[in-house]
Amino acid sequence: MSSPQISFEFFPPKTEIGMNNLLATAKSLSTIQPAFFSVTFGAGGSAQTHTPTTVLKINQHTAIQTAPHISCFAEKETIKNLLDLYIDQGITRLVVLRGDFPAGLNTSPSTHFHYATELVAFIRKQTQDHFHIDVACHPEFHSETTDIKKALFYFKEKIDAGANSAITQYFYNPDAYFRFRDGCEKIGVHAPITPGIMPITNYEKLVSFSAACGAEIPRWLDLRLQNFREDIIGLQNFGEDVITTLCEKLLKNDAPGLHFYSLNKAEPSMKIIHRLGLGSSNKCYVSTQVSE
């Protein structure tokens, strides 16, 4: 069995201080020799500028390649220009997502893609095999469907369109991942599916993130975390135990790696990685936010 790949997710900072903090985080995480970092693709024109700027700065400050996220809500011409820029800068990996369309955006088929499958196929047509493409998947349920057969079919479409591998939305029930992976294998999807991991450091933020993306916090976990609402250190220690145990189960059952949602912080993920006995001897990749 090959060594697991470890991944971490970043988002583009909005301030110079935020950028400096992110670069410090990237340097810290680079000590475990990740295979690549990735950076999310926010809504709006400014965010579309922030993503490539962040990617290029990380590449300048570390020896780790960074994979940009690309979402459907960017205009087709913008995506063409971004692909040309990334090829020119030596970027060879992308995370391709549908993303959430901003309210009021004109999503005409002539100017935008509506589904990640279309975007993956477009990138393959434009760039052939230049990029390794990761896509998103949801081992629990996507917020727009509770039909698991449809969810598996849509995921298969993305792989068939040219995606190489996938990163899941985060979860706290390992059985959800195992069942999803088994379902994929039954329909002929054998691409690597890396579990998304969200460290637990703040109860209110975790509840807010989970509500927004549709990730389930199991009742037993939610009740235990509520007991630590006035004890931040206790919550972080308990959360570290929970996530370490989750990761151990996933790796023991042949997950190809772990994708950490870093929230631009190094310490929470690094603590878990060290407890797992992983580090510089294992290749890892770092990313930032997965949205279908």
Side-chain angles (χ1 to χ4, degrees):
M1 177 181 173
S2 59
S3 298
Q5 290 192 328
I6 307 302
S7 65
F8 309 84
E9 185 179 287
F10 300 148
F11 59 84
K14 296 181 180 179
T15 65
E16 184 176 353
I17 293 175
M19 179 63 74
N20 290 335
N21 290 338
L22 173 57
L23 294 177
T25 293
K27 286 184 178 180
S28 179
L29 291 171
S30 70
T31 62
I32 62 171
Q33 299 180 10
F36 71 87
F37 299 125
S38 81
V39 177
T40 55
F41 193 73
S46 61
Q48 294 171 28
T49 302
H50 290 165
T51 297
T53 297
T54 303
V55 167
L56 298 181
K57 284 193 174 183
I58 292 173
N59 279 348
Q60 292 167 3
H61 286 79
T62 74
I64 309 304
Q65 182 173 207
T66 309
H69 289 212
I70 292 185
S71 298
C72 289
F73 57 72
E75 292 189 353
K76 293 180 180 179
E77 192 61 33
T78 298
I79 291 175
K80 285 183 182 179
N81 293 336
L82 283 174
L83 294 175
D84 290 340
L85 171 66
Y86 293 145
I87 290 173
D88 183 63
Q89 293 296 321
I91 303 298
T92 60
R93 190 160 190 156
L94 300 172
V95 179
V96 178
L97 314 166
R98 192 193 72 180
D100 298 319
F101 287 105
L105 177 68
N106 172 22
T107 58
S108 166
S110 64
T111 58
H112 294 86
F113 300 99
H114 283 238
Y115 301 102
T117 298
E118 298 171 342
L119 181 51
V120 170
F122 175 80
I123 293 171
R124 279 285 173 246
K125 183 177 180 180
Q126 294 291 317
T127 67
Q128 288 74 51
D129 293 328
H130 177 82
F131 293 106
H132 179 111
I133 297 176
D134 284 295
V135 291
C137 61
H138 296 256
E140 292 173 327
F141 288 102
H142 190 279
S143 58
E144 295 182 8
T145 181
T146 58
D147 188 326
I148 186 61
K149 290 184 178 180
K150 285 186 178 180
L152 289 170
F153 173 77
Y154 294 146
F155 176 57
K156 186 177 187 300
E157 280 191 325
K158 290 189 283 189
I159 300 299
D160 290 345
N164 302 99
S165 53
I167 302 168
T168 79
Q169 183 54 268
Y170 70 85
F171 55 88
Y172 297 107
N173 178 4
D175 287 339
Y177 170 81
F178 300 139
R179 290 193 182 100
F180 181 82
R181 186 180 62 183
D182 291 345
C184 289
E185 292 177 353
K186 288 179 180 178
I187 62 172
V189 176
H190 303 292
I193 301 173
T194 299
I197 305 296
M198 176 67 83
I200 300 173
T201 59
N202 181 288
Y203 177 75
E204 282 72 21
K205 287 184 178 179
L206 179 63
V207 170
S208 176
F209 291 150
S210 300
C213 69
E216 180 187 14
I217 304 175
R219 188 168 185 270
W220 71 267
L221 178 57
D222 185 49
L223 292 175
R224 289 290 300 275
L225 291 174
Q226 289 186 44
N227 290 332
F228 289 104
R229 294 181 80 166
E230 304 301 323
D231 179 7
I232 187 64
I233 300 301
L235 182 143
Q236 291 174 353
N237 290 337
F238 173 70
E240 187 179 321
D241 289 340
V242 169
I243 299 303
T244 300
T245 299
L246 171 65
C247 292
E248 288 173 342
K249 290 180 179 178
L250 292 167
L251 294 177
K252 183 179 179 180
N253 288 275
D254 299 328
L258 303 168
H259 172 83
F260 287 87
Y261 293 89
S262 76
L263 302 181
N264 290 10
K265 299 182 184 299
E267 186 176 4
S269 300
M270 290 285 276
K271 284 183 175 180
I272 294 165
I273 290 166
H274 289 152
R275 285 184 59 170
L276 292 169
L278 303 176
S280 60
S281 62
N282 295 278
K283 282 200 169 184
C284 319
Y285 73 80
V286 181
S287 166
T288 54
Q289 172 190 350
V290 171
S291 173
E292 188 75 359

